[in-house]
Amino acid sequence: MATQIVMDHTGHSRHEFDAGDAEALAKAERRFRALIGEGFTAAVRTAEGESCRVFAFDPTAKETLFFRRLRGG
């Protein structure tokens, strides 16, 4: 089971999906594209406590974290 974690002003939400299910995979990719389009940054966990920013949907990623870009002001 893969997970997309979305951090926002309400805390976070978790969206789990089975990468072997074509419909669930398509929905996860649509969510990825929608969040990136809304200005979220995506990162995939690479090791314990480490992550790498990603710019494209990776169906093999076990966990993808989405967070809003910081704004100054």
Side-chain angles (χ1 to χ4, degrees):
M1 204 54 88
T3 307
Q4 293 176 321
I5 303 169
V6 183
M7 307 297 291
D8 61 21
H9 68 283
T10 64
H12 75 279
S13 57
R14 300 175 70 85
H15 304 275
E16 294 185 344
F17 64 95
D18 178 1
D21 178 344
E23 186 176 326
L25 192 61
K27 183 176 180 181
E29 184 168 8
R30 285 192 303 272
R31 183 182 302 112
F32 181 97
R33 291 175 190 248
L35 289 167
I36 296 299
E38 291 175 22
F40 281 83
T41 297
V44 172
R45 186 177 302 244
T46 57
E48 188 64 35
E50 295 182 25
S51 60
C52 178
R53 185 174 179 190
V54 293
F55 299 93
F57 178 69
D58 179 359
T60 64
K62 293 289 184 192
E63 185 176 273
T64 306
L65 176 66
F66 297 89
F67 53 94
R68 290 262 182 207
R69 294 185 186 121
L70 295 176
R71 294 185 204 162

